[in-house]
Amino acid sequence: MASHYDIIIIGSGAGGGTLAYALAPTGKQILLIERGDYLPREKANWDPDAIFTEGRYQTQESWLDAHLQPFSPEAYYVVGGNTKLYGAALQRMRAADFGDVHHAEGRSPAWPLTYEEFEPYYTRAESLFKIHGQRGEDPTEPPMSAEYPFPAFPHEPRIQTVADQLAEQGLHPLHLTLALDLHVTDPSHSPCIRCDTCDPYPCLVNAKCDAQVTCVDPALAFDNVTLLTKTEVTRLLTSATGDRIDQVEIQTHQGTEYLSADTVVVSCGAINSAALLLRSANEAHPNGLANSSDQVGRNLMKHNHSALIAISPTPNPTVFQKTLAIHDYYFGGPNQDYPLGQIQLTGKAKWQRLQKMAPTELPQPWLEYLSHHSVDWWITTEDLPDPNNRVTLTPEGRIQVHFTPNNLKPHQELIQLLEQHLKPLGFYLFWHKTMDTAVAWHQIGTCRMGPDPANNVLDVHCRSHDVENLYVVDASCLPSMGAMNPTLSIIANALRVADHLKSTF
Ligand SMILES: Cc1cc2nc3c(=O)[nH]c(=O)nc-3n(C[C@H](O)[C@H](O)[C@H](O)COP(=O)(O)OP(=O)(O)OC[C@H]3O[C@@H](n4cnc5c(N)ncnc54)[C@H](O)[C@@H]3O)c2cc1C
């Protein structure tokens, strides 16, 4: 293995994996460093006990909350990062989300670029990740320069009935945009088999367009790209003046080693990217690397999420349930002149998942009955940047997450609205569970980009304002996220930064 590269990318998830894919054809010597290994392909990939009871693929690391209490984050340190288990619902932010948006409990800041500037990268990201969708049915759909690359996943009969009934109430149920390799019109040759172990399971048949399958593996077909697994980057060392990163400190089973690169890209996910920069404090950067603004680690957001299990007397034999979304209340509600958020279906909840949601302990046969009669929803609303919601390190170097949820009023209102719509359809029992800090699936914002070095860690190209050869390209850079799932924006942004980097070669 060489010790010097043109580019070192740290982290192989949505941000890092996409960047490696986009830069691979340049011929530059690229090293992709990933702390985890390939997620094993095994029958347990599709075992609900392994996923919901054992947490088989989750990191064993624990983080600390604001009171120094340990918790187990639902984070996945594997090639492809969190996308290996993601739900593959990839969505554009709405055009208005790129501006300053007033919310019930504050404001969501503008991005340093407009939707129109970002739009071509959404189109490329949708093509790369094989998005299936149907244009024209979403009342909040932003302008798009191309059709979705593939037709939408059709609803199964029970879901079609629910969609039709909601439409009769005046809503606009739409087909969820999905990154799965389904041949809708030729199922016998389709990699995706529309199974009931998709969200949030790894895909045993590699039909989920995750960062490993879609980006890392194709990038490795180029001789100039090398992947180092089971290798954690522990610190970034700078020149004495602090202007440039001189060395990348890695930890392997053989011990500590040092590498170097002309350009270093941190793509460890919002919490770990901030932790790595803070851990790299030195004399030139006493507050943490690239942290003259004191913003590294701050403004952590993770969306307000709830699962809602709605039970009716009608059986729900749906196998692949995650096909429907409702955006009618994205920008406001019947009595709300502020944004609420989005409603989507989630993967069909088996009894093991319901066990984690049940308000009281219930015997397995009851849970199985409820699972056969439930329709399972996921409600996402925006949370707002708060400098006190932040990642810090303890003196021993452990990750501490200080997090107080905000903007919860619209979240509760959206849940109530959904229940009001479902009751006339025969749904009579509702369980909902709001996700806590451990479910930081949509973590963003800890190294936000913006033109002013006083308030932002990164410039508009995701380059550090302080360290000339440092970029951060993952969820960290996003100043806000609307109420849309973040990963399409992370991928599109990585493609955008790749174009910028190519222009500097
Ligand atoms: C269960 C689940 C369901 C989800 N569903 C959806 C969905 O349907 N739609 C959607 O848009 N999003 C979804 N998400 C969120 C999505 O997975 C993330 O938004 C996305 O993966 C974030 O990309 P990233 O590049 O910021 O980080 P990641 O993809 O997490 O990648 C970070 C990588 O860096 C590695 N790393 C960390 N620290 C180091 C270090 N020091 N040295 C070396 N490597 C390091 C990690 O191991 C990891 O591989 C889901 C997430 C989960 C967990």
Side-chain angles (χ1 to χ4, degrees), residues 242-245 262-263 463-471:
D243 294 349
R244 292 184 64 81
I245 294 173
D262 295 344
T263 301
R463 188 170 91 150
S464 158
H465 281 295
D466 300 343
V467 181
E468 62 186 37
N469 64 341
L470 169 65
Y471 286 76

Side-chain angles (χ1 to χ4, degrees), residues 223-299:
D223 291 344
N224 53 307
V225 182
T226 307
L227 170 68
L228 211 50
T229 58
K230 293 184 277 185
T231 303
E232 182 179 355
V233 174
T234 38
R235 267 184 329 143
L236 304 173
L237 281 63
T238 67
S239 54
T241 55
D243 294 349
R244 292 184 64 81
I245 294 173
D246 270 354
Q247 288 184 304
V248 173
E249 181 184 273
I250 60 172
Q251 207 69 40
T252 69
H253 63 280
Q254 289 170 322
T256 307
E257 291 175 42
Y258 294 90
L259 303 169
S260 61
D262 295 344
T263 301
V264 176
V265 183
V266 174
S267 304
C268 301
I271 289 176
N272 272 297
S273 286
L276 177 59
L277 298 184
L278 294 173
R279 199 168 281 132
S280 303
N282 60 22
E283 262 183 43
H285 298 271
N287 217 8
L289 193 59
N291 196 19
S292 65
S293 62
D294 190 30
Q295 296 300 304
V296 170
R298 295 187 186 271
N299 307 306

Side-chain angles (χ1 to χ4, degrees), residues 91 137-139 155 159 163 166 171-177 321-328 342-345 377-378 484:
Q91 302 164 311
E137 56 182 4
D138 179 348
H155 304 311
I159 301 307
L166 292 173
L171 294 178
H172 300 82
L174 55 102
H175 291 86
L176 195 53
T177 40
Q321 182 177 252
K322 194 171 174 153
T323 55
L324 182 148
I326 301 165
H327 295 166
D328 293 77
Q342 68 145 326
I343 297 164
Q344 57 180 247
L345 285 175
W377 302 85
W378 192 257
M484 288 298 163

Side-chain angles (χ1 to χ4, degrees), residues 166 169-171 306 308 310 326-343 377 379-381 408-425 427 430 432:
L166 292 173
Q169 295 178 7
L171 294 178
S306 289
L308 176 78
I326 301 165
H327 295 166
D328 293 77
Y329 299 123
Y330 193 82
F331 293 120
N335 301 310
Q336 294 88 359
D337 60 359
Y338 43 81
L340 294 184
Q342 68 145 326
I343 297 164
W377 302 85
I379 291 108
T380 302
T381 62
L408 284 168
K409 184 171 187 277
H411 191 72
Q412 298 309 331
E413 289 172 335
L414 189 57
I415 294 171
Q416 281 165 16
L417 270 169
L418 177 58
E419 289 186 9
Q420 282 166 24
H421 281 289
L422 293 176
K423 280 179 187 160
L425 276 51
F427 291 91
F430 301 96
H432 61 83

Side-chain angles (χ1 to χ4, degrees), residues 178-489:
L178 293 170
L180 299 170
D181 196 0
L182 176 74
H183 297 185
V184 175
T185 54
D186 185 12
S188 53
H189 293 100
S190 175
C192 171
I193 55 170
R194 284 190 68 119
C195 68
D196 60 352
T197 46
C198 183
D199 169 31
Y201 301 77
C203 182
L204 187 49
V205 294
N206 276 343
K208 186 185 282 191
C209 298
D210 58 46
Q212 176 225 313
V213 170
T214 309
C215 297
V216 176
D217 291 351
L220 292 175
F222 289 80
D223 291 344
N224 53 307
V225 182
T226 307
L227 170 68
L228 211 50
T229 58
K230 293 184 277 185
T231 303
E232 182 179 355
V233 174
T234 38
R235 267 184 329 143
L236 304 173
L237 281 63
T238 67
S239 54
T241 55
D243 294 349
R244 292 184 64 81
I245 294 173
D246 270 354
Q247 288 184 304
V248 173
E249 181 184 273
I250 60 172
Q251 207 69 40
T252 69
H253 63 280
Q254 289 170 322
T256 307
E257 291 175 42
Y258 294 90
L259 303 169
S260 61
D262 295 344
T263 301
V264 176
V265 183
V266 174
S267 304
C268 301
I271 289 176
N272 272 297
S273 286
L276 177 59
L277 298 184
L278 294 173
R279 199 168 281 132
S280 303
N282 60 22
E283 262 183 43
H285 298 271
N287 217 8
L289 193 59
N291 196 19
S292 65
S293 62
D294 190 30
Q295 296 300 304
V296 170
R298 295 187 186 271
N299 307 306
L300 173 66
M301 291 164 270
K302 60 171 205 60
H303 273 152
N304 292 318
H305 287 300
S306 289
L308 176 78
I309 308 294
I311 292 147
S312 82
T314 309
N316 179 11
T318 304
V319 177
F320 186 86
Q321 182 177 252
K322 194 171 174 153
T323 55
L324 182 148
I326 301 165
H327 295 166
D328 293 77
Y329 299 123
Y330 193 82
F331 293 120
N335 301 310
Q336 294 88 359
D337 60 359
Y338 43 81
L340 294 184
Q342 68 145 326
I343 297 164
Q344 57 180 247
L345 285 175
T346 180
K348 183 72 205 83
K350 295 172 184 281
W351 72 267
Q352 291 92 338
R353 194 172 189 179
L354 292 191
Q355 192 173 39
K356 289 185 96 176
M357 301 249 337
T360 171
E361 206 167 311
L362 291 175
Q364 183 178 332
W366 289 30
L367 291 166
E368 283 176 353
Y369 172 86
L370 294 170
S371 159
H372 291 141
H373 291 77
S374 68
V375 174
D376 316 289
W377 302 85
W378 192 257
I379 291 108
T380 302
T381 62
E382 187 166 1
D383 58 350
L384 306 172
D386 174 352
N388 296 317
N389 282 344
R390 64 185 297 205
V391 180
T392 59
L393 298 176
T394 64
E396 302 75 38
R398 291 186 67 185
I399 291 178
Q400 189 174 8
V401 181
H402 309 252
F403 197 83
T404 306
N406 60 41
N407 208 28
L408 284 168
K409 184 171 187 277
H411 191 72
Q412 298 309 331
E413 289 172 335
L414 189 57
I415 294 171
Q416 281 165 16
L417 270 169
L418 177 58
E419 289 186 9
Q420 282 166 24
H421 281 289
L422 293 176
K423 280 179 187 160
L425 276 51
F427 291 91
Y428 62 90
L429 180 63
F430 301 96
W431 290 348
H432 61 83
K433 183 175 178 190
T434 300
M435 302 301 141
D436 62 17
T437 312
V439 187
W441 298 353
H442 290 192
Q443 53 182 276
I444 69 157
T446 53
C447 300
R448 70 180 173 200
M449 58 175 165
D452 182 359
N455 298 317
N456 299 288
V457 178
L458 307 172
D459 71 11
V460 71
H461 300 300
C462 292
R463 188 170 91 150
S464 158
H465 281 295
D466 300 343
V467 181
E468 62 186 37
N469 64 341
L470 169 65
Y471 286 76
V472 181
V473 183
D474 60 9
S476 316
C477 69
L478 309 184
S480 61
M481 195 53 258
M484 288 298 163
N485 294 0
T487 308
L488 191 72
S489 299

